[in-house]
Amino acid sequence: MMVYLSLFLTYLKIGLFGFGGGYAMLSLIQHETVDVVHWGCTTPWLTQAQFTDIVAISQMTPGPIGINSATYIGYTVTGSVWGSIVATLAVCLPSFLLVLLVSRLILKNKENPIIKSIFKGLRPVAVGLIASAALLLMNKENFSDTTYSIAIAVVSFVLTYYVKLHPIFVIILAGIAGYIIY
């Protein structure tokens, strides 16, 4: 029972402080699941390799990565669907409540310079959190040979930005290249 409470409180904190969406949450999720030893446990919930696998699975399944990873990690930690439900509800609850409480206020005052400044200040924070997630995923579990990985990333950028290929087609090509190389 203690693991469910710990899971709920951990994902409540992640949901509350995870500005910028799922990718921005990844560094906080990684810290809480790989680095921290929670109540009643002797080791962290996940290894870095398990976390990397869960992120990959969360990226491939439909839906937001933060919610998908909460669902997978909840199941992994508890071994039950109830763990998935607890973690998923906990990560969604702060956003739901904040939107419910603040939406009317923001709509009434959307032209207020203070409100505009707050949102203007949150943009670079969200970009920084997403960049942090990208750096977090640059580990030996994801990149066994950085030369090929950088080449795939550069070619993907060029194909998307300059050649204007559709991103899904570029993702498929990058996946095929990664499968062949690795």
Side-chain angles (χ1 to χ4, degrees):
M1 189 65 183
M2 199 63 145
V3 71
Y4 290 99
L5 179 60
S6 182
L7 192 64
F8 181 80
L9 293 175
T10 298
Y11 271 94
L12 194 66
K13 178 170 65 172
I14 290 168
L16 188 59
F17 296 110
F19 295 105
Y23 286 103
M25 288 180 185
L26 282 182
S27 60
L28 185 55
I29 294 171
Q30 185 268 341
H31 172 72
E32 291 292 332
T33 60
V34 176
D35 300 333
V36 176
V37 177
H38 294 275
W39 304 328
C41 297
T42 57
T43 61
W45 287 337
L46 303 173
T47 65
Q48 183 62 44
Q50 287 174 311
F51 178 75
T52 301
D53 291 343
I54 287 173
V55 169
I57 291 168
S58 297
Q59 288 174 323
M60 292 186 303
T61 53
I65 190 170
I67 294 171
N68 289 348
S69 64
T71 303
Y72 287 115
I73 291 170
Y75 184 82
T76 302
V77 169
T78 64
S80 75
V81 173
W82 291 110
S84 295
I85 292 169
V86 166
T88 303
L89 287 176
V91 81
C92 294
L93 189 61
S95 298
F96 175 74
L97 293 176
L98 285 172
V99 167
L100 192 65
L101 294 172
V102 177
S103 62
R104 294 190 80 177
L105 175 71
I106 291 175
L107 285 175
K108 285 174 97 177
N109 299 303
K110 65 182 175 184
E111 296 303 318
N112 184 317
I114 295 172
I115 300 291
K116 285 183 174 182
S117 296
I118 289 170
F119 281 110
K120 189 176 181 180
L122 283 175
R123 282 187 209 123
V125 170
V127 170
L129 288 170
I130 292 169
S132 170
L135 292 173
L136 173 74
L137 294 174
M138 290 183 189
N139 55 39
K140 64 182 176 185
E141 285 84 8
N142 284 332
F143 296 100
S144 58
D145 184 355
T146 56
T147 306
Y148 289 123
S149 298
I150 291 170
I152 290 172
V154 169
V155 169
S156 297
F157 175 77
V158 168
L159 290 175
T160 305
Y161 191 76
Y162 293 109
V163 180
K164 305 290 186 206
L165 282 180
H166 195 280
I168 292 182
F169 184 65
V170 175
I171 290 169
I172 291 169
L173 289 175
I176 291 168
Y179 181 77
I180 291 169
I181 293 168
Y182 298 111

